[in-house]
Amino acid sequence: MAVTVKIPTQLRAATGGAATASVEGGTVGEVLDALYVQFGELRDRIADDGGLRRFVNVYIGGEDIRFLNGLETTVSDGDEVTILPAVAGG
Amino acid sequence: MSPSGAELLRQIKSQIHEVDPAAVHEQLGNGAVIVDVRENEEFSVAHIPGARHVPRAYLESRIEGIVPDRDAHIVLYCASGNRSAYAARTLTEDLGYTNVESMTGGITLWKDRGYDVEVPRTLSAEQRDRYSRHLLLPEVGLEGQLKLLDARVLLLGAGGLGAPTALYLAAAGVGTLGLVDNDTVDLSNLQRQVIHTQERVGEPKVDSAEATIANLNRDVRVVKYPVRLDASNVMEIVEGYDIIVDGLDNFPTRYLINDVSVRLGIPVVSASILGFDGQLSVFKPYDGPCYRCLYPTPPPAELAPSCGANGVLGVLPGTMGMLQATEVVKLILGEGEPLVGRLLLYEALGATFTELKVRRDPDCPICSRDPESISDEEMGVFPDYEAFCAAAG
């Protein structure tokens, strides 16, 4: 299952500037793991021991995975996963 | 021989029932329908509170629409009691109303007796001109423009987001704009903070913004708060505002303002920017999620890009500020679909908008509770607050 992951500005230093990545996986957790394989530095920015860091939201098709099945949420071919940390700039 | 005008009036007054203003005043709210039969211009200057308006020239054609019941108690008045006397005869003799009175002395005597009059709100000639493009929109119109003029909007930050937002809200005629900012204008601000000018570098931002707004629209009252928001002053500043516009540059204050807004039930139009990306949402307490439902905790200082100076495309806060201002105007007017429960992402480089759903968190530490139960001590606090502030220095 190839899905597109959208990377926010503040995490792009860890992706060599890439704004999107195409990765394989059947669940959100697998998609993120595949993403960390591509961009090792991302893991620390997004995840901690217990799963996702609490200030990072992950959406699939516009829905927050916290209100779906968390990291177990299944993804389909062509889905778009958005990683979104809080931003306070004004 | 035909009677003179004065004679005719005397005859008519002898045929109808007249009533003193004192009796009408006592009967206000007792079910009697008070009808003002003067011309439009006279009615719009002042009238008896609750009075209906039917100019005498339209009496026969319009009275049934207002008082269909022929036995209803009707009190007619005009400026001095003459036109209403003629009108009373018309209603009684020609239209079959059975319980019609004409108020002696009209609204002149009413006012002389010291009774209240209602002065309907209108726009001045200058305001009708200034807001003419709003008045042409059915969604705004006179009523909407009066709502805008009555609205009190608090802008947190007169910086990147606050500058364009304040300009457009002032132009739209939002009557009271509160500005909270303790910073001074720096040359590096002018790349995006369009409310400030080169001449005012070094001046407090609230003063600089006030000066620009004063030049733009004299209808707007600016209330300046040249302070940094914190737990000790936030309640006092925020209370009484209808809408909060969050353009803050740091996390602790964003959480603080969220908690206060939930407690006071004030909607927050929130935007944030970084680099080429912006986020926007409306947090309307108990109607939708709050900021903590979206982000339960802030990032730690070392991962919080807002803790230091960051690059931002100068145009970006303009784009996001305009979207904020639009949401504010919609909330004031009660028109359209506010961005409640939705987060709008704008990515300037890709020129894309993405909409994400934001749901109320049933376990939200703040908005899952009764607002009364949110204590002063809790507001703005999050689990690793101490660590956050220490690391942020």
Side-chain angles (χ1 to χ4, degrees):
Chain A
M1 303 280 179
V3 303
T4 303
V5 183
K6 294 179 84 167
I7 315 284
T9 306
Q10 62 269 54
L11 296 184
R12 284 182 203 157
T15 64
T20 58
S22 185
V23 294
E24 299 279 328
T27 64
V28 172
E30 289 171 14
V31 165
L32 293 177
D33 284 337
L35 190 68
Y36 306 148
V37 171
Q38 275 188 39
F39 308 110
E41 283 176 46
L42 270 185
R43 183 191 297 275
D44 266 3
R45 305 290 303 270
I46 297 173
D48 59 19
D49 297 342
L52 282 178
R53 303 188 75 145
R54 287 186 65 195
F55 53 87
V56 177
N57 290 339
V58 175
Y59 299 82
I60 175 154
E63 276 283 0
D64 189 335
I65 63 162
R66 280 188 294 159
F67 298 100
L68 297 170
N69 222 351
L71 293 172
E72 305 301 315
T73 306
T74 56
V75 298
S76 309
D77 204 31
D79 273 351
E80 192 173 270
V81 172
T82 302
I83 298 172
L84 191 72
V87 172
Chain B
M1 191 181 133
S2 302
S4 68
E7 209 170 312
L8 175 64
L9 184 63
R10 268 197 304 279
Q11 282 176 17
I12 285 172
K13 284 192 174 179
S14 71
Q15 295 162 10
I16 60 156
H17 298 286
E18 288 191 293
V19 61
D20 189 80
V24 177
H25 186 254
E26 271 174 36
Q27 289 170 8
L28 274 187
N30 275 359
V33 183
I34 317 279
V35 180
D36 188 321
V37 298
R38 296 174 301 157
E39 301 300 310
N40 286 332
E41 305 78 56
E42 296 175 280
F43 183 80
S44 66
V45 172
H47 55 254
I48 293 176
R52 307 300 298 270
H53 181 219
V54 185
R56 192 180 153 227
Y58 297 99
L59 195 63
E60 294 87 341
S61 57
R62 292 189 186 165
I63 191 69
E64 279 181 307
I66 290 172
V67 193
D69 178 6
R70 290 291 199 278
D71 297 322
H73 181 195
I74 300 175
V75 177
L76 304 174
Y77 76 90
C78 59
S80 64
N82 294 343
R83 280 175 286 172
S84 60
Y86 292 115
R89 190 184 70 158
T90 303
L91 289 193
T92 309
E93 303 280 311
D94 301 339
L95 290 166
Y97 283 86
T98 62
N99 190 5
V100 181
E101 292 173 315
S102 166
M103 191 175 83
T104 51
I107 196 166
T108 312
L109 184 57
W110 173 275
K111 284 198 269 194
D112 286 347
R113 296 271 173 86
Y115 301 138
D116 281 347
V117 291
E118 194 170 304
V119 179
R121 293 190 57 200
T122 51
L123 297 177
S124 67
E126 182 189 308
Q127 287 174 323
R128 282 198 299 275
D129 195 11
R130 177 187 289 271
Y131 305 118
S132 60
R133 298 306 189 276
H134 269 168
L135 300 177
L136 288 168
L137 294 170
E139 293 81 357
V140 185
L142 172 64
E143 197 186 336
Q145 191 60 51
L146 290 172
K147 283 183 190 171
L148 289 166
L149 287 163
D150 285 341
R152 296 169 52 89
V153 175
L154 182 67
L155 294 156
L156 307 180
L161 290 165
T165 310
L167 275 179
Y168 270 86
L169 292 180
V174 171
T176 303
L177 287 178
L179 301 177
V180 185
D181 202 308
N182 68 337
D183 211 355
T184 54
V185 179
D186 186 87
L187 194 59
S188 69
N189 299 147
L190 300 183
Q191 162 249 26
R192 62 199 180 283
Q193 299 179 17
V194 292
I195 205 165
H196 307 303
T197 65
Q198 297 171 93
E199 289 70 32
R200 297 203 289 263
V201 165
E203 285 181 28
K205 285 187 177 175
V206 290
D207 291 345
S208 169
E210 182 189 40
T212 301
I213 291 169
N215 275 329
L216 179 60
N217 189 349
R218 64 180 116 252
D219 288 341
V220 180
R221 187 172 69 100
V222 173
V223 184
K224 298 182 288 183
Y225 304 94
V227 297
R228 187 171 177 84
L229 268 190
D230 61 34
S232 74
N233 60 22
V234 67
M235 286 293 283
E236 196 184 329
I237 291 174
V238 165
E239 224 157 5
Y241 281 95
D242 304 316
I243 298 171
I244 298 168
V245 182
D246 183 351
L248 289 163
D249 60 0
N250 68 90
F251 281 109
T253 321
R254 281 184 184 258
Y255 282 82
L256 176 67
I257 209 68
N258 176 69
D259 301 350
V260 172
S261 71
V262 171
R263 185 161 131 179
L264 297 177
I266 304 173
V268 179
V269 178
S270 171
S272 61
I273 49 168
L274 180 69
F276 297 93
D277 298 356
Q279 301 185 11
L280 176 79
S281 194
V282 175
F283 301 106
K284 198 171 179 199
Y286 301 102
D287 265 9
C290 75
Y291 189 67
R292 282 186 191 263
C293 297
L294 174 61
Y295 297 117
T297 62
E302 71 275 15
L303 295 180
S306 60
C307 283
N310 283 280
V312 62
L313 186 70
V315 178
L316 182 72
T319 308
M320 299 311 292
M322 288 307 90
L323 292 171
Q324 264 184 311
T326 307
E327 290 304 308
V328 171
V329 170
K330 281 163 59 186
L331 285 176
I332 294 170
L333 297 176
E335 289 291 336
E337 295 298 322
L339 201 65
V340 174
R342 298 182 284 153
L343 180 70
L344 190 66
L345 308 181
Y346 171 61
E347 195 210 354
L349 283 181
T352 62
F353 281 96
T354 306
E355 187 179 309
L356 304 171
K357 286 196 187 74
V358 188
R359 296 188 187 278
R360 273 188 81 177
D361 183 349
D363 300 322
C364 175
I366 293 294
C367 84
S368 67
R369 298 160 46 193
D370 185 336
E372 306 287 316
S373 74
I374 302 168
S375 69
D376 286 354
E377 292 70 35
E378 283 176 285
M379 290 191 305
V381 175
F382 36 84
D384 41 7
Y385 183 78
E386 295 298 329
F388 183 93
C389 289

